[in-house]
Amino acid sequence: MTAILATPAALAQDPPQWALVVHGGAGVIERGAMTPRTDAAYRAAMARALATGEGVLETGGTAIDAVEAIIREFEDDAMFNAGRGAVFTAAGRNELDSSIMDGRDLNAGAVAGVTSVRHPISLARAVMEHSPHVMLQGEGAETFAGEQGLETVPPAFFFTERRWASLEGELGRLGLPIPHRPEGAPDPEPVDEGALLRDSREHRFGTVGVVALDTEGNIAAGTSTGGTTAKRWGRVGDSPILGAGTYANNRSCGVSATGTGEYFIRLTVASRICALVEFDGLTLQAAADRVIQDELTAMGGDGGIVALTPGGDIAWSFNTPGMYRARLSAGGEPLVAIYGDEE
């Protein structure tokens, strides 16, 4: 599914002072599987994300600031597969990945497999700004987080009954043993069957992401995820990999992706879209559609992206039935959408 968000007349106008586009994951997200209450809750969460970013950018904050602020909010919202709402690995752990990139100078930071950092996006930014490296993983990333004074939490902080029940169901399907309930987790409680069905269909590769344009004309992008339910062997997807799940370059565009990470890595989805804009002269929407609707689909991959140019053009493209998504430009009205038949 695509969103045509810029007309020739609009392109001739001055670019907006700032702009935002966000996503909360893609998948089999269909009207029939969503109660009105759940639909409203997701729309409200996406609208809050826009309001958070607007508050940063309208007061002169940087694109990096806006990306971090919005994703921190998502990481504390158990509805999304990031931070507190992260899915569990087959071993019964929450292993979190995140990345952030600054389009001004291509500086970037990423973390993979962290288990005790409340806000992985802030750790990714710390890697970018306070280390000589681009990616840290596991125990070393957590040691660095402590040295930087970032907030750490016990692993049970990330526990949600909904995600644990989803893990049990997936492990049963795979014929794998169910691990012991994590230490410090609350007593078991009933889980809505509708929520479990949605998890199995829409959050198989849930992720959150943001691309922002600030008043200085700079682009930044960031992505955060808990990965895939019942992942094994230290699996890492595309979210912390620059060029695959996240990319930002003031010469072309910024992109944040959500989907089956193995395909996004192989196709280098995020940087490929930006390269088509910069070197082939494609519009942002045309570049996004070529990569998602044609190339990714031909490979058998599924998911989507949100993207933004320094000129304020916004696009999204996804080959799944739905994607939680929203956008806002200075002086404009917010747009929040979930299903494939929405604008």
Side-chain angles (χ1 to χ4, degrees):
M1 303 296 177
T2 67
I4 306 300
L5 300 174
T7 65
L11 292 173
Q13 299 172 355
D14 291 334
Q17 290 184 318
W18 55 263
L20 284 166
V21 62
V22 305
H23 71 77
V28 184
I29 305 169
E30 299 172 321
R31 293 181 189 277
M34 296 273 271
T35 66
R37 182 177 179 180
T38 301
D39 180 295
Y42 276 106
R43 291 181 190 275
M46 300 305 289
R48 285 195 301 272
L50 293 179
T52 296
E54 179 180 16
V56 173
L57 296 172
E58 189 68 32
T59 56
T62 68
I64 286 286
D65 292 336
V67 167
E68 181 184 16
I70 294 170
I71 293 182
R72 282 174 63 95
E73 193 170 276
F74 278 136
E75 289 172 342
D76 280 340
D77 190 332
M79 290 195 299
F80 298 97
N81 179 17
R84 198 161 201 174
V87 300
F88 287 90
T89 70
R93 291 156 46 98
N94 303 109
E95 296 181 357
L96 312 175
D97 307 331
S98 190
S99 61
I100 195 166
M101 188 167 184
D102 191 333
R104 293 175 297 182
D105 54 11
L106 307 189
N107 201 9
V111 295
V114 297
T115 61
S116 64
V117 179
R118 179 172 179 175
H119 293 294
I121 190 65
S122 295
L123 179 53
R125 182 173 182 176
V127 172
M128 176 177 70
E129 295 180 342
H130 302 298
S131 87
H133 308 300
V134 171
M135 179 182 285
L136 301 180
Q137 57 88 27
E139 183 179 348
E142 292 171 348
T143 298
F144 179 73
E147 293 175 355
Q148 294 297 308
L150 298 180
E151 183 178 2
T152 58
V153 293
F157 174 87
F158 301 109
F159 182 93
T160 58
E161 197 69 46
R162 167 188 171 189
R163 302 301 195 198
W164 186 256
S166 293
L167 173 67
E168 291 180 328
E170 182 66 9
L171 291 177
R173 186 185 71 81
L174 295 172
L176 296 174
I178 296 173
H180 293 296
R181 196 174 175 88
E183 181 179 353
D187 293 335
E189 59 185 28
V191 177
D192 177 66
E193 291 298 321
L196 294 182
L197 178 61
R198 287 196 306 275
D199 280 358
S200 68
R201 291 159 63 85
E202 74 188 47
H203 280 297
R204 182 165 56 87
F205 40 68
T207 306
V208 302
V210 181
V211 187
L213 167 68
D214 62 31
T215 56
E216 297 296 320
N218 295 312
I219 291 281
T223 311
S224 188
T225 188
T228 59
T229 300
K231 65 182 180 181
R232 303 172 71 191
W233 309 299
R235 180 262 186 190
V236 176
D238 65 302
S239 295
I241 297 180
L242 281 305
T246 304
Y247 196 75
N249 187 339
N250 280 4
R251 295 176 62 88
S252 53
C253 67
V255 175
S256 177
T258 173
T260 305
E262 284 71 14
Y263 292 93
F264 280 69
I265 294 168
R266 290 161 57 192
L267 196 54
T268 59
V269 162
S271 62
R272 189 172 183 84
I273 291 169
C274 293
L276 289 172
V277 171
E278 181 176 359
F279 301 114
D280 286 18
L282 270 65
T283 66
L284 183 64
Q285 191 67 60
D289 287 344
R290 176 183 292 186
V291 174
I292 299 299
Q293 305 300 328
D294 299 339
E295 297 174 356
L296 180 68
T297 301
M299 289 178 67
D302 47 6
I305 63 91
V306 296
L308 173 61
T309 71
D313 298 332
I314 297 174
W316 50 55
S317 188
F318 51 99
N319 64 0
T320 53
M323 181 171 73
Y324 300 111
R325 59 202 189 275
R327 53 99 167 176
L328 177 64
S329 299
E333 293 295 322
L335 172 64
V336 177
I338 297 176
Y339 313 110
D341 60 359
E342 296 181 83
E343 181 180 355

